[in-house]
Amino acid sequence: MNFQIEIDGILTEIKSTQTILERCKELGINIPTLCHHDDLGSQKVCGICIVECDGETLKSCETYPKDKMVIKTRTPKIIKERERILKNIMKNHPNDCLTCEKSKGDCELQNISFEYNIINRNLENIKKYPLDSGSSGITRNMNKCILCEKCVAVCKKVQGLEIYEVVELNGVKEIIIKDGKTLEESKCVSCGQCVKVCPVGALTEKNSVTELNKLLKSSEKHIVVQMAPAIKHTIGEEFFLAPGIDVTSKMVGALKKLGFDKVFSTDFSADVTIMEEGSELIQRVIKGDGKLPMFTSCCPGWVNYVEQSYPSFIENLSTCKSPQQMFGALAKSYYSDTLNIPKEDIYVVSIMPCTAKKGESERAEMQKNGIKDVDLVITTREFAKLIKMNNIDFNLMPNNLTYDSFMGLGSSAGRIFGSSGGVMEAALRTVSHILTNGQLNQIEFQNLRGFENVKSAEIDLGEKIIKVAVINGIGSAKKVLDAIINKEVSFDFIEVMACYGGCISGGGAPIPDNLEIRKSRMNGMYLFDSTSNLRKSHENEEVSSLYKNYLKEPCGHKSHHILHTTYSKK
């Protein structure tokens, strides 16, 4: 049923199931919110989205229409009430905007305060809560929390982890981690989805950009950088470009200007991952050597989840390191040995869409004799900050630059690692080619793409038909794992990404981030794939040279030593 209503003098139709806030968003009428997110809906706690109807103030997020309603969104009464709410928030909010990680556009409270000319004159040093900084990927500062409850919602409704909860102590509401734990002590997997929805600086990624900026200006190390596939189709948003646009060349230009010695691509090591993971899959499925189903191990948030919550599936994880870690391991072996640069002098930087990648680089399994595979990880947002703090005009960077050779060439199969279903599709392109001696030449697996919670298919590999699945989000993974335990489903190969949509919606991706933006990012990635002349990992010439001149064969003795790892119950 539809109703006729009036909003700020505009006559419009509205569905009976729509809130006033939702209809105003569709009409482009700006109503400020602090507890609403397009993917999560409203938590109905901030109160700043009020509108006026017949002299009565109503929360637009929970008000449904009645026929002939007359709604006003910016009357003096409304503005005064919004100002009052903002001033109350500011009374208990630290006045450290100059140094806050969420300043310069990502802080929703700051943006709304500018709009309503609310100045934080709080000169007190508010430190009611200790800083929770033990996590490798996320910093939690509850002194800045405004109790919007979006972190609670995304962790419960989307990820199914429920590490946060709302409690009331002595009449004061707080958001805590269950059982009074810190992030590090909890079952947080560092996916960073709570960071993306937090409207203030209460939840941020661990800052590594300051350290990197100093290193680039003073270090005598040979500094090489790798960029994850998703970055190429998301970083442009930080510089007012549309989501999904491929800005590879501009990124290469910016990184060269920043002073990196070599600019490489994680697309290359994603192709290497397919060679190793595809060979491992053949060993498990065809030769019966290893547990099934085999799970992908590219996503550190997913690996964290298995180690913490489902350790019985540890042996099901592929032993392959992630593309990030493979790149670092090869930089300090293959690259080091071939160019005669001591591995101790090579410093590997990763630019990733993922907060969990920071912790992955710190794992004990990812270093040997004190030398880490990857030395430092920054997120997409941190990369944008690094560019801006060095006064580089990103949009003026050239459009004809490419990665440095040797470890810079990547196939479009490696590129689509950034989308949910991409790892599976890339693996099937190569595995089907190997098992059928090139007779089965399927490239696109459309039914494994998209945002469904679980996608599945049966794939004919010549010798065997295998059952595969692609899982979006930790919450969906839990259901599938339980179903496997209860023998309700059976698969041979499963891809899991902790974040919905895959790395394009990682915890370090640009803000704002919602389903429509993620669709544009994914479309851009698959557009690149469809127009590429190199669509299979095994056809990458630089990967072929790696095996011919150094590793010899996938899953061989040398590659197993350098490119594979182990996991353990945490």
Side-chain angles (χ1 to χ4, degrees):
M1 179 185 295
N2 291 353
F3 293 112
Q4 285 279 346
I5 66 170
E6 180 182 312
I7 305 177
D8 290 345
I10 300 172
L11 291 174
T12 185
E13 277 197 352
I14 181 173
K15 298 174 184 175
S16 60
T17 55
Q18 243 182 339
T19 65
I20 299 299
L21 176 61
E22 289 168 340
R23 185 60 181 137
C24 284
K25 281 181 170 290
E26 289 180 350
L27 293 171
I29 297 171
N30 179 42
I31 294 182
T33 64
L34 288 169
C35 69
H36 177 88
H37 187 276
D38 289 344
D39 294 345
L40 300 171
S42 176
Q43 308 315 304
K44 303 176 183 178
V45 291
C46 75
I48 204 164
C49 69
I50 53 170
V51 293
E52 190 173 338
C53 179
D54 296 329
E56 182 183 1
T57 56
L58 307 167
K59 289 183 182 179
S60 61
C61 66
E62 60 183 14
T63 299
Y64 291 89
K66 297 177 183 176
D67 206 29
K68 309 300 183 186
M69 281 180 93
V70 177
I71 301 293
K72 297 180 180 179
T73 69
R74 287 192 64 85
T75 65
K77 182 178 181 180
I78 293 298
I79 292 171
K80 186 176 181 181
E81 180 60 15
R82 289 176 184 163
E83 289 174 348
R84 183 192 68 78
I85 292 169
L86 287 168
K87 286 176 181 177
N88 279 342
I89 292 173
M90 288 300 189
K91 282 180 183 178
N92 299 300
H93 199 74
N95 189 1
D96 63 349
C97 293
L98 287 175
T99 56
C100 180
E101 293 292 327
K102 282 284 183 79
S103 65
K104 298 183 180 178
D106 284 346
C107 178
E108 295 173 40
L109 176 61
Q110 186 183 63
N111 294 340
I112 296 172
S113 295
F114 282 154
E115 181 183 351
Y116 286 86
N117 196 30
I118 304 299
I119 301 172
N120 188 349
R121 301 189 185 279
N122 193 346
L123 300 180
E124 294 182 22
N125 187 15
I126 299 173
K127 285 191 177 179
K128 181 180 177 182
Y129 304 98
L131 190 67
D132 184 354
S133 59
S135 164
S136 55
I138 300 171
T139 299
R140 186 167 176 264
N141 185 352
M142 294 311 292
N143 297 299
K144 298 184 179 184
C145 178
I146 61 171
L147 302 172
C148 73
E149 299 184 23
K150 285 194 282 190
C151 61
V152 182
V154 74
C155 196
K156 179 180 180 179
K157 295 178 182 178
V158 178
Q159 296 299 64
L161 293 169
E162 299 186 59
I163 70 163
Y164 299 111
E165 66 178 344
V166 181
V167 298
E168 193 166 310
L169 301 172
N170 300 320
V172 178
K173 190 167 77 168
E174 293 182 10
I175 295 174
I176 66 167
I177 295 173
K178 284 186 176 179
D179 301 321
K181 294 180 177 180
T182 63
L183 277 174
E184 186 181 26
E185 296 165 343
S186 74
K187 290 199 173 184
C188 171
V189 298
S190 292
C191 68
Q193 295 305 300
C194 58
V195 173
K196 284 198 306 183
V197 300
C198 180
V200 290
L203 290 162
T204 60
E205 66 263 53
K206 213 67 174 285
N207 183 339
S208 302
V209 73
T210 305
E211 179 185 354
L212 177 56
N213 195 48
K214 289 179 181 176
L215 281 168
L216 288 168
K217 289 174 169 53
S218 61
S219 178
E220 295 181 1
K221 296 267 190 179
H222 181 78
I223 306 178
V224 302
V225 63
Q226 60 166 317
M227 287 176 287
I231 311 291
K232 289 95 169 173
H233 299 274
T234 59
I235 185 69
E237 297 165 43
E238 294 281 355
F239 301 94
F240 308 106
L241 298 175
I245 291 177
D246 184 355
V247 292
T248 296
S249 175
K250 293 184 182 299
M251 288 196 307
V252 172
L255 290 164
K256 290 286 187 183
K257 206 169 180 64
L258 284 165
F260 287 95
D261 294 295
K262 289 290 181 180
V263 178
F264 292 133
S265 174
T266 317
D267 296 16
F268 164 83
S269 49
D271 284 338
V272 179
T273 300
I274 289 304
M275 299 303 294
E276 296 295 320
E277 193 170 73
S279 298
E280 184 183 2
L281 178 63
I282 291 171
Q283 289 175 356
R284 294 200 191 198
V285 172
I286 305 300
K287 300 178 181 178
D289 185 12
K291 275 196 170 185
L292 293 176
M294 187 177 95
F295 290 104
T296 57
S297 55
C298 300
C299 172
W302 157 241
V303 171
N304 290 342
Y305 183 65
V306 173
E307 290 184 320
Q308 293 172 7
S309 299
Y310 284 87
S312 62
F313 283 100
I314 284 176
E315 290 184 29
N316 295 80
L317 289 169
S318 165
T319 62
C320 292
K321 292 180 179 179
S322 72
Q324 167 180 273
Q325 296 304 133
M326 281 197 183
F327 178 92
L330 288 170
K332 296 187 180 181
S333 56
Y334 174 53
Y335 180 73
S336 169
D337 294 345
T338 306
L339 276 72
N340 293 316
I341 303 173
K343 64 182 68 177
E344 296 84 0
D345 293 341
I346 297 174
Y347 193 90
V348 177
V349 175
S350 295
I351 303 175
M352 294 285 143
C354 174
T355 45
K357 286 291 181 186
K358 291 175 180 278
E360 182 184 54
S361 71
E362 299 289 338
R363 288 176 68 104
E365 300 92 340
M366 303 298 175
Q367 48 191 293
K368 188 175 182 181
N369 299 326
I371 298 176
K372 296 164 61 180
D373 291 345
V374 173
D375 296 285
L376 185 140
V377 180
I378 62 172
T379 64
T380 315
R381 294 192 298 270
E382 287 180 291
F383 179 32
K385 287 179 183 177
L386 183 66
I387 293 170
K388 293 170 185 176
M389 67 196 294
N390 283 278
N391 297 313
I392 295 171
D393 193 328
F394 186 81
N395 291 320
L396 289 182
M397 291 295 102
N399 292 317
N400 59 351
L401 301 179
T402 58
Y403 298 109
D404 289 317
S405 59
F406 198 77
M407 294 173 67
L409 180 63
S411 73
S412 62
R415 177 69 65 90
I416 61 174
F417 264 56
S419 286
S420 173
V423 177
M424 177 65 71
E425 187 167 347
L428 292 176
R429 290 179 188 183
T430 290
V431 170
S432 63
H433 177 88
I434 293 171
L435 289 179
T436 64
N437 293 314
Q439 292 180 9
L440 181 61
N441 204 30
Q442 185 174 352
I443 292 179
E444 295 188 355
F445 295 81
Q446 296 278 353
N447 54 340
L448 297 176
R449 300 177 179 181
F451 293 92
E452 292 176 54
N453 291 348
V454 181
K455 303 177 285 285
S456 62
E458 291 190 353
I459 309 295
D460 187 349
L461 296 179
E463 292 183 45
K464 186 177 176 67
I465 295 175
I466 66 169
K467 295 178 68 175
V468 303
V470 173
I471 301 175
N472 254 317
I474 295 296
S476 301
K478 182 183 188 305
K479 295 174 183 176
V480 173
L481 292 176
D482 289 341
I484 292 172
I485 290 170
N486 295 327
K487 294 182 168 40
E488 296 168 0
V489 296
S490 174
F491 295 103
D492 298 297
F493 186 30
I494 301 177
E495 174 202 308
V496 183
M497 292 292 166
C499 303
Y500 271 84
C503 303
I504 52 169
S505 60
I511 298 171
D513 183 8
N514 57 45
L515 181 59
E516 291 308 310
I517 290 173
R518 291 195 289 275
K519 285 180 180 178
S520 296
R521 294 169 180 169
M522 187 177 284
N523 289 339
M525 192 161 280
Y526 284 118
L527 175 63
F528 174 85
D529 175 52
S530 66
T531 57
S532 172
N533 293 320
L534 178 59
R535 302 186 72 186
K536 297 176 182 177
S537 298
H538 57 274
E539 294 178 354
N540 183 334
E541 292 179 359
E542 289 189 1
V543 172
S544 297
S545 294
L546 165 68
Y547 282 100
K548 179 182 178 181
N549 300 323
Y550 196 74
L551 294 178
K552 304 308 177 187
E553 62 178 342
C555 285
H557 177 74
K558 194 167 189 176
S559 66
H560 202 275
H561 175 70
I562 297 171
L563 303 178
H564 292 250
T565 187
T566 59
Y567 314 99
S568 59
K569 181 178 178 179
K570 298 292 191 292

